[in-house]
Amino acid sequence: TILVFFTWVVLPALFFLKDGFRGYSLGKLLCGLKVIDLHTREPIGFKASFLRNLPLAIPLMVLYIASDLCKGNRIGDGWAKSKVILKKQQENPVFSSS
């Protein structure tokens, strides 16, 4: 029962909330990326992270998101009003505009 709880509750929660840890997921931290709020320029929280990752739960949406990534922000960024930036260049004026 602990394995079932972990598989069906803990792992999905971590997946949807992964960017809410001060704007980082493990992958973003390793790649030097950060997710910020478009308006406040602050790292997103858990609510925005949930909204940002929610489209990935929709069947076949992953294919649409993958094809749309070359245009910039993915659909979840629009829902969460967020943007992924390079952490080392977060003060650069290029990243300060929406």
Side-chain angles (χ1 to χ4, degrees), residues 21-84:
F21 297 94
R22 301 185 67 204
Y24 296 107
S25 64
L26 181 58
K28 284 179 188 61
L29 184 64
L30 293 173
C31 292
L33 301 173
K34 186 177 192 176
V35 186
I36 60 168
D37 182 278
L38 279 178
H39 303 295
T40 67
R41 317 308 291 172
E42 296 293 322
I44 65 168
F46 292 110
K47 179 182 176 186
S49 178
F50 178 79
L51 291 173
R52 183 174 188 279
N53 292 305
L54 188 59
L56 297 172
I58 301 169
L60 300 178
M61 182 62 80
V62 173
L63 298 175
Y64 173 77
I65 291 169
S67 69
D68 208 36
L69 276 178
C70 61
K71 296 177 187 174
N73 295 346
R74 64 185 206 198
I75 191 168
D77 286 317
W79 291 8
K81 310 237 183 318
S82 63
K83 183 176 190 171
V84 178

